[in-house]
């Protein structure tokens, strides 16, 4: 396929996205070929790909981390571009259904969904209750009267849409999640609190970076400016950065014949490339030790100490491993490795980094061993918290075999696994842990230079999915996920962390869970 398939208008549109025609053709070829499945060998389990830290280990690594934190090595990266529409999916559906299920006064009839009924019964336990009540009062409505008289449609109008709090259309990070004695906090604020406790350096500087949607950037910045004084205490000062997914990471959509999908006006359709696009944002931070955590995974203050404890332990483990890696790299780079050195380094990458080299390397010449080990050790490093599997959706830790590259441990999504093969399906179903997106990353090399993180992406680890636009079927492509294919060629370590450190809010009802309630 040549670039002749594109019109002059197409070429202008492609250029406006920061892409080249050749890049778009490459995307179309991926649609034609399909993404190869990841071959999983076995699940990672405790003692076999997943480390379990005891109290002594935790205290040791926390001490290592405290020194790095004090010396300005640490920052936090929070993907926060998502709107809250999915969080309120059930309530939005209920609101739309009320057009046909309310009586003449707009009251809900008796067959109201139990989940919705529960939400209304417990609405005073949600952190946004007081704000909702005040907003309705300003418009002459009484929230408690609406509850008593089952005027649920009215409540949902003020909760979800622009006439009220508009919670279904604003960023998830701006929704009041937690109620305290005299105030409520949003996820953005909870991340400010967390960053204060494990990234603040000896000069009081706290570095945190949020990725946001362009349409919400102004709203988010104004909110954080307004609340920031309440969190800058004890001489601390936040250094807050913002970015969003670049248009150059968008991907073209195709029809079912793998031809470019065209809008009604004949223009091409491009779609956001998913969170894997953020590898570029991460690469441009010029950080050192970077913590990554999703915007909705926050807890109230009384549960934060456990989070801080494990965050610091993971960070300290990463720094300790980095030190060993850098020492081995210096030995290799200076040509000082001998038989004993090679044996020690191969043992290190096997026991500490869970890497099994491809066949033949161990019996190769010293030059071949040296070249291989330099390539393996001179890569970014990530330490990932893993939670015991309780049925929650998300990727999991597996031993993975890559042709010509040996076996290593990776975070793999279910969609990357060929479930039509019984052995692969059985391995997937036997997983004991899943990925809560609790990462700490080392993004500088042994000389202190920044890695170009785009060089360590497995570009064949993207996702193709079926979508539709205006009633027409199409296929869409996401880039390799940020913690999946985008970090496939990093060195990786998995550590078991307590389930209590993982309290995501995927639906509004999750705010009733222990990690989000003051009782």
């Amino acid at each position: 396929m040549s670039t002749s398939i594109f019109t002059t208008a197409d070429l202008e549109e492609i250029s406006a996205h920061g892409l080249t025609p050749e890049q778009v053709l490459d995307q179309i070829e991926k649609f034609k070929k399909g993404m190869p499945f990841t071959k999983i060998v076995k699940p990672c389990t405790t003692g076999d790909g997943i480390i379990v830290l005891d109290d002594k280990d935790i205290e040791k690594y926390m001490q290592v981390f405290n020194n790095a934190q004090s010396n300005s090595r640490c920052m936090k990266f929070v993907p926060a571009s998502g709107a809250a529409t999915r969080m309120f999916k059930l309530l939005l559906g209920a609101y739309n259904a009320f057009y046909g299920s309310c009586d003449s006064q707009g009251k809900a009839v008796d067959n109201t969904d139990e989940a919705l009924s529960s939400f209304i019964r417990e609405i005073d336990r949600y952190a946004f209750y007081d704000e909702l009540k005040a907003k309705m009062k300003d418009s002459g409505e009484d929230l408690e009267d609406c509850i008593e008289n089952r005027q649920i449609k009215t409540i949902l109008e003020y909760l979800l849409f622009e006439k009220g709090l508009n919670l279904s259309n604003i960023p998830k990070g701006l929704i009041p999640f937690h109620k305290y004695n005299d105030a409520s906090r949003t996820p953005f604020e909870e991340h400010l609190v967390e960053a204060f406790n494990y990234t603040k350096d000896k000069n009081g500087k706290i570095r945190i970076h949020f990725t946001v949607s362009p349409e919400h950037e102004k709203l988010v910045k104004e909110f954080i400016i307004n609340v920031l004084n309440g969190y800058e205490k004890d001489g601390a000062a936040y250094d807050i950065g913002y970015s969003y997914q670049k248009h150059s990471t968008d991907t073209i959509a195709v029809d079912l014949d793998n031809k470019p999908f065209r809008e009604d006006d004949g223009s091409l359709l491009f779609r956001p490339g998913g969170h894997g696009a953020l590898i570029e944002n991460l690469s441009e931070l010029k950080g050192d030790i970077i913590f990554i955590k999703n915007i909705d995974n926050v807890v109230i203050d009384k549960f934060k100490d456990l989070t801080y404890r494990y965050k610091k332990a993971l960070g300290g483990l990463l720094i300790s491993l980095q030190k060993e890696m850098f020492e081995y790299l210096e030995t290799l780079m200076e040509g000082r490795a001998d038989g004993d050195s090679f044996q020690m380094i191969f043992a290190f990458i096997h026991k500490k980094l869970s890497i099994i080299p491809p066949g033949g390397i161990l019996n190769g010449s010293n030059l071949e061993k040296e070249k291989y080990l330099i390539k393996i050790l001179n890569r970014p490093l990530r330490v990932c918290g893993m939670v015991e599997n309780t049925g929650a959706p998300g990727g999991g830790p597996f031993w993975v075999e890559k042709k010509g590259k040996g076996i290593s441990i990776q975070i793999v999504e279910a969609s990357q696994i060929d479930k039509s093969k019984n052995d692969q399906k059985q391995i997937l179903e036997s997983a004991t842990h899943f990925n809560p997106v609790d990462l700490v990353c080392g993004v500088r090399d042994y000389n202190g230079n920044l890695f170009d993180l785009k060089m360590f992406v497995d570009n064949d680890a993207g996702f193709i999915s079926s979508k539709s636009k205006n009633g027409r079927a199409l296929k869409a492509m996401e880039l390799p996920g940020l913690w999946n294919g985008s970090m496939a060629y990093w060195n990786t370590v998995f550590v078991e962390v307590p389930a209590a450190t993982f309290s995501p809010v995927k639906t509004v009802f999750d705010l009733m869970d222990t990690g989000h309630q003051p009782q």
Side-chain angles (χ1 to χ4, degrees):
M1 186 181 293
S2 73
T3 58
S4 62
I5 70 167
F6 300 124
T7 66
T8 301
D10 292 341
L11 295 174
E12 291 175 356
E13 189 176 1
I14 290 168
S15 178
H17 275 269
L19 293 164
T20 66
E22 290 74 20
Q23 286 174 311
V24 176
L25 288 176
D26 182 61
Q27 292 176 6
I28 294 173
E29 284 302 310
K30 283 186 166 66
F31 280 112
K32 291 180 177 179
K33 294 178 180 177
M35 296 293 184
F37 288 112
T38 297
K39 183 180 179 181
I40 53 176
V41 177
K42 58 182 175 178
C44 293
T45 57
T46 54
D48 186 23
I50 300 177
I51 298 170
V52 178
L53 302 178
D54 60 26
D55 289 342
K56 186 177 179 180
D57 292 327
I58 292 172
E59 293 300 326
K60 177 181 70 174
Y61 291 131
M62 285 177 67
Q63 288 299 318
V64 172
F65 175 79
N66 287 338
N67 182 57
Q69 177 187 345
S70 178
N71 287 307
S72 309
R73 295 189 63 188
C74 305
M75 70 177 302
K76 188 170 184 180
F77 180 82
V78 184
S81 58
T85 307
R86 291 183 183 178
M87 182 174 165
F88 293 99
K89 182 178 179 180
L90 188 147
L91 298 186
L92 286 164
Y95 175 81
N96 292 329
F98 278 151
Y99 281 108
S101 63
C102 293
D103 65 17
S104 58
Q105 283 76 45
K107 297 179 183 179
V109 295
D110 290 339
N111 64 351
T112 303
D113 182 87
E114 174 55 31
L116 176 61
S117 297
S118 174
F119 173 77
I120 297 299
R121 282 197 307 270
E122 299 181 316
I123 195 169
D124 61 331
R125 295 178 60 196
Y126 287 89
F128 47 71
Y129 174 81
D130 290 339
E131 191 177 347
L132 176 63
K133 186 175 181 179
K135 192 75 173 181
M136 292 180 69
K137 183 178 180 181
D138 289 344
S139 299
E141 297 280 1
D142 187 285
L143 174 55
E144 293 176 357
D145 284 349
C146 286
I147 294 171
E148 183 176 349
N149 294 318
R150 294 183 60 74
Q151 293 178 312
I152 299 176
K153 181 180 176 183
T154 299
I155 296 170
L156 294 181
E157 283 179 336
Y158 279 92
L159 180 74
L160 300 174
F161 304 118
E162 198 168 356
K163 71 183 296 183
L165 302 186
N166 202 28
L167 295 191
S168 68
N169 295 307
I170 65 174
K172 186 185 285 190
L174 291 179
I175 294 173
F177 267 25
H178 300 148
K179 184 184 295 186
Y180 294 94
N181 290 333
D182 56 351
S184 63
R185 276 191 212 150
T186 64
F188 279 115
E189 292 170 277
E190 296 291 19
H191 279 287
L192 293 177
V193 173
E194 279 200 20
F196 181 96
N197 282 275
Y198 58 81
T199 71
K200 181 167 69 74
D201 66 19
K202 61 187 175 185
N203 299 313
K205 188 174 183 179
I206 306 160
R207 299 173 65 205
I208 185 168
H209 187 97
F210 297 108
T211 63
V212 297
S213 298
E215 63 267 28
H216 293 143
E217 183 177 12
K218 182 180 178 182
L219 184 65
V220 169
K221 286 183 175 180
E222 288 177 349
F223 174 82
I224 291 180
I225 288 172
N226 288 334
V227 303
L228 202 55
N229 284 342
Y231 300 98
E232 290 188 324
K233 56 186 180 180
D234 301 329
Y238 285 86
D239 178 3
I240 302 177
Y242 303 90
S243 63
Y244 41 82
Q245 290 184 20
K246 300 176 182 178
H247 281 308
S248 59
T249 63
D250 290 351
T251 57
I252 195 168
V254 299
D255 62 22
L256 299 186
D257 293 321
N258 296 315
K259 296 178 181 178
F261 184 96
R262 294 190 179 274
E263 301 269 30
D264 293 338
D265 63 2
S267 62
L268 300 172
L269 174 63
F270 287 89
R271 298 172 55 88
H275 58 67
L278 298 181
I279 197 68
E280 294 197 19
N281 305 60
L282 190 67
S283 194
E284 292 173 0
L285 286 185
K286 298 181 179 177
D288 184 359
I289 307 299
I290 304 175
F291 290 90
I292 302 179
K293 191 177 183 185
N294 279 339
I295 186 68
D296 60 16
N297 184 15
V298 288
V299 292
I300 60 175
D301 283 351
K302 71 177 183 178
F303 296 115
K304 283 191 173 75
D305 283 347
L306 185 65
T307 294
Y308 302 153
R309 179 175 172 83
Y310 272 86
K311 279 283 189 291
K312 292 185 174 187
L314 296 185
L317 173 58
L318 180 135
I319 293 161
S320 299
L321 289 169
Q322 251 189 358
K323 185 174 182 293
E324 286 189 79
M325 289 169 61
F326 293 169
E327 289 173 353
Y328 289 139
L329 269 170
E330 288 180 1
T331 298
L332 292 164
M333 290 290 197
E334 294 170 5
R336 294 187 284 109
D338 56 19
D340 290 341
S341 301
F342 284 123
Q343 187 175 357
M344 186 182 303
I345 299 171
F346 274 110
F348 171 79
I349 68 168
H350 185 198
K351 294 178 181 178
K352 299 290 186 69
L353 303 181
S354 301
I355 293 171
I356 300 174
I361 289 293
L362 293 176
N363 297 320
S365 68
N366 283 356
L367 185 61
E368 289 172 324
K369 292 176 183 177
E370 182 182 274
K371 184 178 179 181
Y372 171 80
L373 289 170
I374 288 173
K375 184 176 181 180
I376 288 295
L377 293 174
N378 198 27
R379 306 194 295 184
L381 172 66
R382 59 177 176 162
V383 174
C384 314
M386 289 291 155
V387 173
E388 282 193 47
N389 199 337
T390 55
F398 293 90
W399 289 87
V400 167
E401 184 175 4
K402 191 81 171 176
K403 188 175 181 180
K405 296 183 182 296
I407 295 173
S408 62
I409 58 174
Q410 301 286 342
I411 297 170
V412 184
E413 299 288 341
S415 59
Q416 294 177 271
I417 299 169
D418 186 355
K419 293 179 283 294
S420 68
K421 295 183 176 179
N422 286 334
D423 65 323
Q424 296 291 282
K425 183 180 179 183
Q426 288 172 6
I427 295 170
L428 173 63
E429 293 174 348
S430 64
T432 61
H433 290 71
F434 72 95
N435 166 42
V437 189
D438 186 2
L439 287 73
V440 56
C441 305
V443 296
R444 290 182 181 267
D445 67 17
Y446 74 108
N447 286 319
N449 299 316
L450 287 162
F451 285 110
D452 179 358
L453 301 184
K454 299 188 296 296
M455 301 298 294
F456 301 91
V457 175
D458 180 358
N459 291 304
D460 289 331
F463 304 87
I464 294 174
S465 56
S466 298
K467 303 286 184 181
S468 65
K469 180 79 182 289
N470 298 330
R472 296 162 54 204
L474 62 85
K475 293 196 288 187
M477 180 189 301
E478 287 193 20
L479 300 174
L482 181 58
W483 37 83
N484 306 106
S486 284
M487 295 182 177
Y489 299 130
W490 291 39
N491 286 321
T492 298
V493 175
F494 294 145
V495 178
E496 186 176 76
V497 296
T501 64
F502 180 57
S503 296
V505 177
K506 301 308 178 187
T507 75
V508 66
F509 308 104
D510 291 332
L511 290 172
M512 290 295 100
D513 292 346
T514 302
H516 306 289
Q517 287 293 312
Q519 294 87 356

